[in-house]
Amino acid sequence: MSTQHHNPVRVLADYYSTTADAYEQMWASALNPAAVRLLGRLPLGSARRVLDLGAGTGTLLPALRRAAPSALIVAGDRAHGMLWRSPALAPRVVLDAARLPFATAAFDVVVMSFMLFHVPDPTGALRKVRRVLRVGGRMGLTTWGRDRVVPALEIWNEQLDRYGAPPAPAMVAQHDLMDTAEKVRALLAAAGFAEPQVDFIPWSHRPTPDEFIRRHVALGATGRRLVGLSTDAQSAFVREVRSRLEQLPPNAFEDRSEVIGATAIAD
Ligand SMILES: C[S@@+](CC[C@H](N)C(=O)[O-])C[C@H]1O[C@@H](n2cnc3c(N)ncnc32)[C@H](O)[C@@H]1O
């Protein structure tokens, strides 16, 4: 087996590149309102150079362009399959947050929307972000706080267990290092950031049953478990879970997981 299969950053990037189409269609727009709210906390109107780190399919770029009309905006992501889908509003750079290929003090603002939990060493990556910010420049991030129960997802996972679906292959997902405001503050302090402002950003997402099913087939741990079943078992699973989910009320599909928004200054 080649060593690239043991490189967790590469494994994650390959996963995102492979599922980029589904991510763009089924998840990016659900996350976007939280990231757009974060932009309101950042000094973008006067910014000249902005980095969208972990930009994914570039869903945030139109709002960033509006908020920072005179800035050079750079979209960076480790997964080329995500990045090439982003709108041509910004130069795109395939990069690893652990090794930012930019000069010291190159940016006024760095935004990280729902990406820091995917980095093996979040404090190290935040230090790299601090290095590429000018003194007085500002970092902003969103990440997941505590999960809330989504009844439809409970049923989905229970049905996967019933079918004997194997566990999802491991990927870097360190939500537990940053799922409270206190933990995020501690990470920012460890990376040397000043004046951390950390609180919750209102967010919720209520897909239709069909949207819910399509997303959980294609993406995330649910999708990665499902592909562990035979093709026939996958079809039977989807038929059965659909008939169970169709009996639920609309609010059983609603996700009200906490979103944490944080900003801090490089000094
Ligand atoms: C959940 S997606 C969020 C994408 C986008 N910011 C959004 O809000 O839609 C996480 C993104 O982080 C990227 N990512 C994960 N680890 C990374 C790393 N070490 N360096 C750069 N990007 C990374 C992934 O490729 C993916 O595009």
Side-chain angles (χ1 to χ4, degrees):
M1 193 183 282
S2 82
T3 49
Q4 78 184 36
H5 292 106
H6 300 294
N7 177 338
V9 175
R10 176 71 184 257
V11 168
L12 186 85
D14 286 350
Y15 165 75
Y16 269 107
S17 283
T18 309
T19 57
D21 190 37
Y23 182 93
E24 186 174 39
Q25 286 181 38
M26 300 173 200
W27 194 225
S29 64
L31 298 185
N32 196 239
V36 169
R37 278 177 185 253
L38 176 76
L39 298 190
R41 303 176 182 187
L42 294 166
L44 288 162
S46 57
R48 287 180 304 126
R49 290 183 300 254
V50 176
L51 173 62
D52 184 358
L53 178 57
T57 54
T59 322
L60 192 55
L61 292 176
L64 260 180
R65 172 46 71 219
R66 283 192 296 277
S70 50
L72 167 68
I73 300 170
V74 178
D77 200 285
R78 181 64 186 75
H80 65 89
M82 296 284 276
L83 205 50
W84 80 264
R85 287 180 154 73
S86 69
L89 293 170
R92 294 169 278 194
V93 183
V94 175
L95 52 72
D96 182 348
R99 280 181 291 278
L100 293 179
F102 303 110
T104 298
F107 294 100
D108 302 298
V109 175
V110 177
V111 182
M112 287 172 280
S113 160
F114 298 102
M115 68 81 64
L116 190 62
F117 44 78
H118 278 321
V119 177
D121 175 9
T123 307
L126 285 170
R127 285 201 187 101
K128 302 292 161 52
V129 167
R130 191 163 66 89
R131 179 186 70 75
V132 302
L133 278 168
R134 68 167 169 79
V135 172
R138 205 175 287 249
M139 175 284 327
L141 66 84
T142 55
T143 190
W144 295 111
R146 296 206 173 91
D147 286 342
R148 297 267 165 72
V149 172
V150 180
L153 186 56
E154 305 272 291
I155 288 178
W156 189 281
N157 284 326
E158 190 233 323
Q159 185 89 1
L160 280 173
D161 292 341
R162 260 197 227 176
Y163 268 69
M171 282 198 333
V172 187
Q174 311 201 82
H175 298 76
D176 55 322
L177 294 183
M178 56 195 81
D179 59 1
T180 67
E182 293 69 31
K183 290 180 188 178
V184 172
R185 260 186 224 107
L187 283 176
L188 293 170
F193 277 100
E195 298 183 35
Q197 310 263 330
V198 186
D199 58 21
F200 296 100
I201 293 181
W203 179 84
S204 68
H205 176 57
R206 186 189 282 194
T208 64
D210 198 52
E211 288 165 347
F212 180 92
I213 291 166
R214 283 191 296 120
R215 174 158 69 87
H216 287 281
V217 163
L219 292 176
T222 53
R224 288 182 292 119
R225 279 191 79 186
L226 191 60
V227 294
L229 298 177
S230 71
T231 315
D232 285 351
Q234 288 181 33
S235 305
F237 170 89
V238 173
R239 263 197 314 277
E240 257 183 59
V241 84
R242 181 183 292 278
S243 77
R244 290 180 72 186
L245 294 177
E246 280 173 354
Q247 293 165 33
L248 297 177
N251 63 1
F253 296 85
E254 184 161 29
D255 186 346
R256 303 187 66 81
S257 297
E258 288 176 349
V259 172
I260 296 173
T263 65
I265 295 181
D267 64 0

